[in-house]
């Protein structure tokens, strides 16, 4: 039971964090506002991130980093973060969600954060940590406290 509770905590922590990072990429834009309850829970920096976000804005940033097909990559990255995070948090499709999230975080660490080094503002320690947690959950599975288990797939 302790192991399953530990896996639930890891899934919730990484999943909600990934969802919060993917939401502005998928659903953001200059005219967009997050739901008040979400903005309140995630703090004062979330609403401005949503307004500055959106697939078009993220695609421009990816293009500047030399990512091929930046419009497609922007949507796929947002889906890997938001959708992968949702899957991890719920323990639903945990292994594919974890694989998508960990691959996305590996690319983010290398392409966006590597020049700043490991530690500090913009460093790659945070995407590396999220990616490693997602990879670990891919390997271990979701545990007993999950929708995958209820569906007989854990």
């Amino acid at each position: 039971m302790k192991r399953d509770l530990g896996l639930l905590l890891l899934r919730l922590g990484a999943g909600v964090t990934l969802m919060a990072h993917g939401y502005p990429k998928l659903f953001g834009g200059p005219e967009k506002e997050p739901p008040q309850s979400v903005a309140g829970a995630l703090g004062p920096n979330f609403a401005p991130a949503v307004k500055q976000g959106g697939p078009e804005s993220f695609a421009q940033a990816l293009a500047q980093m030399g990512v091929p097909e930046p419009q497609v990559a922007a949507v796929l990255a947002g889906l890997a973060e938001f959708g992968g995070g949702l899957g991890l948090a719920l323990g639903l499709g945990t292994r594919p969600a974890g694989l998508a999230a960990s691959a996305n975080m590996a690319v983010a660490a290398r392409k966006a954060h590597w020049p700043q080094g490991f530690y500090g503002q913009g460093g790659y320690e945070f995407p590396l940590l999220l990616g490693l947690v997602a990879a670990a959950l891919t390997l271990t599975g979701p545990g007993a406290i999950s929708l995958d288990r209820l569906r007989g797939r854990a």
Side-chain angles (χ1 to χ4, degrees), residues 16-32:
V16 169
T17 301
L18 283 161
M19 288 173 62
H21 282 270
Y23 185 96
K25 292 176 176 85
L26 286 179
F27 307 114
E31 308 285 321
K32 306 293 176 109

PDB file of all heavy atoms in Angstrom, residues 16-32:
ATOM      1  N   VAL A  16       0.015  17.053 -12.581  1.00  0.00           N
ATOM      2  CA  VAL A  16      -0.568  18.395 -12.477  1.00  0.00           C
ATOM      3  C   VAL A  16       0.430  19.449 -12.956  1.00  0.00           C
ATOM      4  O   VAL A  16       0.055  20.408 -13.640  1.00  0.00           O
ATOM      5  CB  VAL A  16      -1.043  18.668 -11.033  1.00  0.00           C
ATOM      6  CG1 VAL A  16      -1.412  20.118 -10.826  1.00  0.00           C
ATOM      7  CG2 VAL A  16      -2.227  17.767 -10.697  1.00  0.00           C
ATOM      8  N   THR A  17       1.694  19.267 -12.634  1.00  0.00           N
ATOM      9  CA  THR A  17       2.716  20.220 -13.090  1.00  0.00           C
ATOM     10  C   THR A  17       2.822  20.216 -14.606  1.00  0.00           C
ATOM     11  O   THR A  17       2.883  21.281 -15.238  1.00  0.00           O
ATOM     12  CB  THR A  17       4.072  19.889 -12.447  1.00  0.00           C
ATOM     13  OG1 THR A  17       3.931  19.941 -11.020  1.00  0.00           O
ATOM     14  CG2 THR A  17       5.144  20.858 -12.887  1.00  0.00           C
ATOM     15  N   LEU A  18       2.826  19.036 -15.213  1.00  0.00           N
ATOM     16  CA  LEU A  18       2.881  18.958 -16.675  1.00  0.00           C
ATOM     17  C   LEU A  18       1.642  19.577 -17.307  1.00  0.00           C
ATOM     18  O   LEU A  18       1.741  20.294 -18.309  1.00  0.00           O
ATOM     19  CB  LEU A  18       3.027  17.495 -17.117  1.00  0.00           C
ATOM     20  CG  LEU A  18       4.422  16.906 -16.964  1.00  0.00           C
ATOM     21  CD1 LEU A  18       4.372  15.384 -16.979  1.00  0.00           C
ATOM     22  CD2 LEU A  18       5.344  17.440 -18.048  1.00  0.00           C
ATOM     23  N   MET A  19       0.472  19.320 -16.723  1.00  0.00           N
ATOM     24  CA  MET A  19      -0.756  19.927 -17.256  1.00  0.00           C
ATOM     25  C   MET A  19      -0.684  21.451 -17.204  1.00  0.00           C
ATOM     26  O   MET A  19      -1.081  22.128 -18.159  1.00  0.00           O
ATOM     27  CB  MET A  19      -1.970  19.441 -16.461  1.00  0.00           C
ATOM     28  CG  MET A  19      -2.336  17.996 -16.715  1.00  0.00           C
ATOM     29  SD  MET A  19      -3.647  17.411 -15.613  1.00  0.00           S
ATOM     30  CE  MET A  19      -4.980  18.498 -16.084  1.00  0.00           C
ATOM     31  N   ALA A  20      -0.165  21.980 -16.095  1.00  0.00           N
ATOM     32  CA  ALA A  20      -0.058  23.432 -15.957  1.00  0.00           C
ATOM     33  C   ALA A  20       0.881  24.023 -16.998  1.00  0.00           C
ATOM     34  O   ALA A  20       0.659  25.141 -17.480  1.00  0.00           O
ATOM     35  CB  ALA A  20       0.424  23.789 -14.545  1.00  0.00           C
ATOM     36  N   HIS A  21       1.904  23.291 -17.381  1.00  0.00           N
ATOM     37  CA  HIS A  21       2.835  23.786 -18.405  1.00  0.00           C
ATOM     38  C   HIS A  21       2.291  23.597 -19.815  1.00  0.00           C
ATOM     39  O   HIS A  21       2.610  24.377 -20.711  1.00  0.00           O
ATOM     40  CB  HIS A  21       4.200  23.100 -18.259  1.00  0.00           C
ATOM     41  CG  HIS A  21       5.001  23.669 -17.147  1.00  0.00           C
ATOM     42  ND1 HIS A  21       5.861  24.726 -17.308  1.00  0.00           N
ATOM     43  CD2 HIS A  21       5.051  23.351 -15.840  1.00  0.00           C
ATOM     44  CE1 HIS A  21       6.400  25.024 -16.149  1.00  0.00           C
ATOM     45  NE2 HIS A  21       5.928  24.208 -15.242  1.00  0.00           N
ATOM     46  N   GLY A  22       1.477  22.578 -20.015  1.00  0.00           N
ATOM     47  CA  GLY A  22       0.918  22.336 -21.340  1.00  0.00           C
ATOM     48  C   GLY A  22      -0.297  23.189 -21.660  1.00  0.00           C
ATOM     49  O   GLY A  22      -0.548  23.522 -22.820  1.00  0.00           O
ATOM     50  N   TYR A  23      -1.049  23.568 -20.628  1.00  0.00           N
ATOM     51  CA  TYR A  23      -2.277  24.339 -20.848  1.00  0.00           C
ATOM     52  C   TYR A  23      -2.036  25.619 -21.644  1.00  0.00           C
ATOM     53  O   TYR A  23      -2.723  25.856 -22.650  1.00  0.00           O
ATOM     54  CB  TYR A  23      -2.953  24.637 -19.496  1.00  0.00           C
ATOM     55  CG  TYR A  23      -4.287  25.322 -19.642  1.00  0.00           C
ATOM     56  CD1 TYR A  23      -5.459  24.587 -19.625  1.00  0.00           C
ATOM     57  CD2 TYR A  23      -4.386  26.707 -19.818  1.00  0.00           C
ATOM     58  CE1 TYR A  23      -6.695  25.203 -19.762  1.00  0.00           C
ATOM     59  CE2 TYR A  23      -5.607  27.334 -19.956  1.00  0.00           C
ATOM     60  CZ  TYR A  23      -6.758  26.576 -19.941  1.00  0.00           C
ATOM     61  OH  TYR A  23      -7.967  27.197 -20.090  1.00  0.00           O
ATOM     62  N   PRO A  24      -1.088  26.476 -21.258  1.00  0.00           N
ATOM     63  CA  PRO A  24      -0.881  27.708 -22.043  1.00  0.00           C
ATOM     64  C   PRO A  24      -0.454  27.426 -23.481  1.00  0.00           C
ATOM     65  O   PRO A  24      -0.810  28.176 -24.389  1.00  0.00           O
ATOM     66  CB  PRO A  24       0.223  28.449 -21.283  1.00  0.00           C
ATOM     67  CG  PRO A  24       0.173  27.902 -19.905  1.00  0.00           C
ATOM     68  CD  PRO A  24      -0.254  26.468 -20.051  1.00  0.00           C
ATOM     69  N   LYS A  25       0.283  26.361 -23.693  1.00  0.00           N
ATOM     70  CA  LYS A  25       0.741  26.026 -25.046  1.00  0.00           C
ATOM     71  C   LYS A  25      -0.431  25.648 -25.946  1.00  0.00           C
ATOM     72  O   LYS A  25      -0.460  26.016 -27.118  1.00  0.00           O
ATOM     73  CB  LYS A  25       1.761  24.895 -24.990  1.00  0.00           C
ATOM     74  CG  LYS A  25       3.071  25.282 -24.344  1.00  0.00           C
ATOM     75  CD  LYS A  25       3.989  24.069 -24.232  1.00  0.00           C
ATOM     76  CE  LYS A  25       5.331  24.445 -23.679  1.00  0.00           C
ATOM     77  NZ  LYS A  25       5.392  24.474 -22.225  1.00  0.00           N
ATOM     78  N   LEU A  26      -1.383  24.908 -25.406  1.00  0.00           N
ATOM     79  CA  LEU A  26      -2.525  24.450 -26.200  1.00  0.00           C
ATOM     80  C   LEU A  26      -3.673  25.442 -26.244  1.00  0.00           C
ATOM     81  O   LEU A  26      -4.299  25.637 -27.277  1.00  0.00           O
ATOM     82  CB  LEU A  26      -3.064  23.123 -25.634  1.00  0.00           C
ATOM     83  CG  LEU A  26      -2.261  21.874 -25.886  1.00  0.00           C
ATOM     84  CD1 LEU A  26      -2.941  20.686 -25.218  1.00  0.00           C
ATOM     85  CD2 LEU A  26      -2.067  21.622 -27.363  1.00  0.00           C
ATOM     86  N   PHE A  27      -3.976  26.047 -25.096  1.00  0.00           N
ATOM     87  CA  PHE A  27      -5.210  26.822 -24.957  1.00  0.00           C
ATOM     88  C   PHE A  27      -4.985  28.312 -24.760  1.00  0.00           C
ATOM     89  O   PHE A  27      -5.943  29.059 -24.595  1.00  0.00           O
ATOM     90  CB  PHE A  27      -6.034  26.281 -23.779  1.00  0.00           C
ATOM     91  CG  PHE A  27      -6.287  24.803 -23.862  1.00  0.00           C
ATOM     92  CD1 PHE A  27      -5.736  23.941 -22.929  1.00  0.00           C
ATOM     93  CD2 PHE A  27      -7.051  24.269 -24.886  1.00  0.00           C
ATOM     94  CE1 PHE A  27      -5.964  22.577 -22.998  1.00  0.00           C
ATOM     95  CE2 PHE A  27      -7.280  22.902 -24.961  1.00  0.00           C
ATOM     96  CZ  PHE A  27      -6.739  22.054 -24.021  1.00  0.00           C
ATOM     97  N   GLY A  28      -3.729  28.742 -24.797  1.00  0.00           N
ATOM     98  CA  GLY A  28      -3.438  30.145 -24.542  1.00  0.00           C
ATOM     99  C   GLY A  28      -3.538  31.009 -25.787  1.00  0.00           C
ATOM    100  O   GLY A  28      -3.768  30.538 -26.890  1.00  0.00           O
ATOM    101  N   GLY A  29      -3.345  32.291 -25.573  1.00  0.00           N
ATOM    102  CA  GLY A  29      -3.372  33.274 -26.645  1.00  0.00           C
ATOM    103  C   GLY A  29      -3.745  34.628 -26.084  1.00  0.00           C
ATOM    104  O   GLY A  29      -4.195  34.733 -24.935  1.00  0.00           O
ATOM    105  N   PRO A  30      -3.553  35.692 -26.859  1.00  0.00           N
ATOM    106  CA  PRO A  30      -3.769  37.053 -26.364  1.00  0.00           C
ATOM    107  C   PRO A  30      -5.160  37.315 -25.794  1.00  0.00           C
ATOM    108  O   PRO A  30      -5.319  38.089 -24.868  1.00  0.00           O
ATOM    109  CB  PRO A  30      -3.515  37.927 -27.590  1.00  0.00           C
ATOM    110  CG  PRO A  30      -2.717  37.100 -28.516  1.00  0.00           C
ATOM    111  CD  PRO A  30      -3.067  35.675 -28.228  1.00  0.00           C
ATOM    112  N   GLU A  31      -6.171  36.686 -26.325  1.00  0.00           N
ATOM    113  CA  GLU A  31      -7.546  36.918 -25.875  1.00  0.00           C
ATOM    114  C   GLU A  31      -8.021  35.882 -24.863  1.00  0.00           C
ATOM    115  O   GLU A  31      -9.170  35.912 -24.443  1.00  0.00           O
ATOM    116  CB  GLU A  31      -8.496  36.892 -27.084  1.00  0.00           C
ATOM    117  CG  GLU A  31      -8.096  37.808 -28.216  1.00  0.00           C
ATOM    118  CD  GLU A  31      -8.374  39.261 -27.906  1.00  0.00           C
ATOM    119  OE1 GLU A  31      -9.413  39.544 -27.297  1.00  0.00           O
ATOM    120  OE2 GLU A  31      -7.539  40.102 -28.276  1.00  0.00           O
ATOM    121  N   LYS A  32      -7.162  34.961 -24.482  1.00  0.00           N
ATOM    122  CA  LYS A  32      -7.585  33.815 -23.675  1.00  0.00           C
ATOM    123  C   LYS A  32      -7.397  34.075 -22.176  1.00  0.00           C
ATOM    124  O   LYS A  32      -6.442  34.704 -21.759  1.00  0.00           O
ATOM    125  CB  LYS A  32      -6.793  32.567 -24.059  1.00  0.00           C
ATOM    126  CG  LYS A  32      -6.843  32.229 -25.537  1.00  0.00           C
ATOM    127  CD  LYS A  32      -8.229  31.810 -25.950  1.00  0.00           C
ATOM    128  CE  LYS A  32      -8.311  31.569 -27.424  1.00  0.00           C
ATOM    129  NZ  LYS A  32      -8.445  30.211 -27.810  1.00  0.00           N
TER     130      LYS A  32
END
